[in-house]
Amino acid sequence: MSQLDAIYQLHPKRYRDKIEEESNYASIENQKQAVLSIGSLGVAICSLIIFLIPYSTTIRGVIAALALPIVYFSFPYIAISVAAERRRKEMERVLPDALLLISTNIKSGTSINRAFLASSREEFGPLEDELRTTAIEISGGKSVQEALDNLRKRVNSGLFQDTLKVLSDAIESGGNTAELLESSAEDIRTSLELREEVKSSIRMYTIFIVMAAVFGAPILFSITVYMAETTTQMWSQTDLSGEASSFASGGSTGLSFEQPDVNTDFLVQFSILALTITNFFASLIISQISNGNMKEGAKYIPFTVSISVGLFLAVKTLLGSFL
């Protein structure tokens, strides 16, 4: 056993099973190297961010102890899942055309394995490799049902798996495979068109979330922090001792004024943390309502957080310069 394998075996078995399942869907062969590389990169980035936090060493140590394990295990899983989701979308997009081509080849008198092989074209992207692999398995002695079942296990797509299940049942019962493929291709194309219509109808909600989380929240936070800093500065320039003396000489009831204790640095840190958390969940929500898959929103997080925090700092600086 190599050193890489030994380190990988130290990961929890349930975690390894999920990684291997997603790697199979994403067609990633060396998932061990991917897990260690992406996990180490995530830990390095998180460590740099924690080091830049203006807190004491003890607090930063506690944050690191809590955050680093989560980052190490979550980063590889999210990255591999996003790759699997991208591959699924590419295959679903070209699936109707591939089914029609397979149907045409079968109508011309070609066997099912040769029809799959002849239909594995470069324009089909990742589906090309899957069709070729299935054709090779059938030619190598596996039954058509077994080869199609293996194909279903390699693709994490409801549309794809349902189509292959119907195709497998039709071949087993001796149905008209070519006509079945044509009707399935038409149904899949209609389903994909309906998905696009749904995306268009909910696009307004996505825009609203982006405007509120990425643009609205940073501007409001920057105005709040600027007002707090301005108020604190005004209090620091006010002579409160004279006010207290005048009240005392006038026989007042002891009413006095004190400068409010406002930590503006804490407000800035809280604003950045709040914006990070807000945009983290906003990215996941956008992905969920747009694609029906929350994990795909992970690819939006770096952009939404960077834009939001950058806008907050920029507006805060501009307010201080012009006002």
Side-chain angles (χ1 to χ4, degrees):
M1 181 182 294
S2 65
Q3 185 177 3
L4 180 62
D5 293 333
I7 297 175
Y8 183 72
Q9 291 299 321
L10 296 176
H11 295 71
K13 185 179 185 303
R14 186 176 179 181
Y15 177 77
R16 284 186 277 120
D17 292 341
K18 292 296 294 182
I19 286 292
E20 290 169 5
E21 180 183 9
E22 294 295 330
S23 298
N24 183 42
Y25 293 147
S27 188
I28 297 176
E29 297 180 357
N30 194 356
Q31 71 270 12
K32 301 175 183 178
Q33 182 66 42
V35 168
L36 295 178
S37 300
I38 300 174
S40 301
L41 177 61
V43 168
I45 296 174
C46 185
S47 300
L48 178 60
I49 295 174
I50 293 173
F51 177 77
L52 296 176
I53 295 177
Y55 287 128
S56 65
T57 305
T58 303
I59 296 179
R60 283 187 292 189
V62 173
I63 296 175
L66 295 175
L68 293 183
I70 297 175
V71 169
Y72 177 79
F73 286 106
S74 62
F75 265 44
Y77 178 75
I78 293 174
I80 295 175
S81 297
V82 170
E85 186 68 15
R86 185 185 300 112
R87 186 170 183 265
R88 177 190 68 81
K89 284 186 174 182
E90 292 179 1
M91 295 179 68
E92 286 182 348
R93 180 177 55 83
V94 299
L95 181 58
D97 296 332
L99 292 179
L100 290 176
L101 185 57
I102 295 173
S103 174
T104 302
N105 290 326
I106 292 177
K107 283 182 177 180
S108 65
T110 307
S111 60
I112 186 68
N113 60 321
R114 290 187 176 276
F116 270 77
L117 187 61
S119 303
S120 58
R121 297 188 176 182
E122 184 178 356
E123 58 264 28
F124 291 155
L127 186 57
E128 175 193 6
D129 297 331
E130 297 296 343
L131 293 177
R132 182 180 292 108
T133 301
T134 303
I136 292 174
E137 288 181 352
I138 297 174
S139 301
K142 290 185 178 181
S143 64
V144 176
Q145 287 77 11
E146 185 178 0
L148 292 178
D149 286 340
N150 292 336
L151 178 57
R152 290 174 59 197
K153 294 176 183 178
R154 294 194 300 268
V155 181
N156 184 23
S157 168
L159 281 176
F160 207 102
Q161 293 178 0
D162 292 343
T163 302
L164 292 178
K165 182 66 169 60
V166 173
L167 176 60
S168 179
D169 294 341
I171 294 175
E172 186 177 2
S173 61
N176 192 327
T177 305
E179 291 184 1
L180 177 63
L181 289 174
E182 290 181 355
S183 61
S184 297
E186 186 62 30
D187 291 340
I188 292 173
R189 183 170 284 125
T190 302
S191 177
L192 294 177
E193 290 176 355
L194 288 175
R195 284 187 183 182
E196 292 300 322
E197 291 180 5
V198 171
K199 284 184 179 180
S200 300
S201 63
I202 63 176
R203 191 161 295 160
M204 184 61 64
Y205 299 101
T206 302
I207 295 174
F208 174 77
I209 294 174
V210 171
M211 294 299 295
V214 180
F215 298 101
I219 294 175
L220 292 177
F221 273 117
S222 60
I223 294 174
T224 302
V225 172
Y226 170 75
M227 293 178 63
E229 291 177 345
T230 304
T231 305
T232 302
Q233 185 178 6
M234 292 173 60
W235 275 103
S236 64
Q237 296 174 354
T238 303
D239 185 9
L240 299 179
S241 58
E243 297 288 340
S245 300
S246 63
F247 274 105
S249 61
S252 66
T253 59
L255 180 64
S256 63
F257 293 95
E258 293 183 359
Q259 179 178 346
D261 186 12
V262 179
N263 189 343
T264 55
D265 292 335
F266 172 76
L267 289 178
V268 173
Q269 296 167 11
F270 173 81
S271 300
I272 294 175
L273 179 61
L275 290 173
T276 302
I277 295 175
T278 299
N279 284 273
F280 175 85
F281 287 105
S283 300
L284 300 182
I285 293 173
I286 290 172
S287 178
Q288 180 65 36
I289 65 177
S290 300
N291 307 312
N293 188 343
M294 187 177 295
K295 292 184 293 186
E296 194 174 356
K299 64 184 181 181
Y300 304 134
I301 294 174
F303 301 102
T304 57
V305 172
S306 300
I307 294 173
S308 180
V309 174
L311 182 61
F312 164 74
L313 297 175
V315 173
K316 176 178 171 295
T317 302
L318 290 175
L319 288 174
S321 300
F322 291 103
L323 299 180

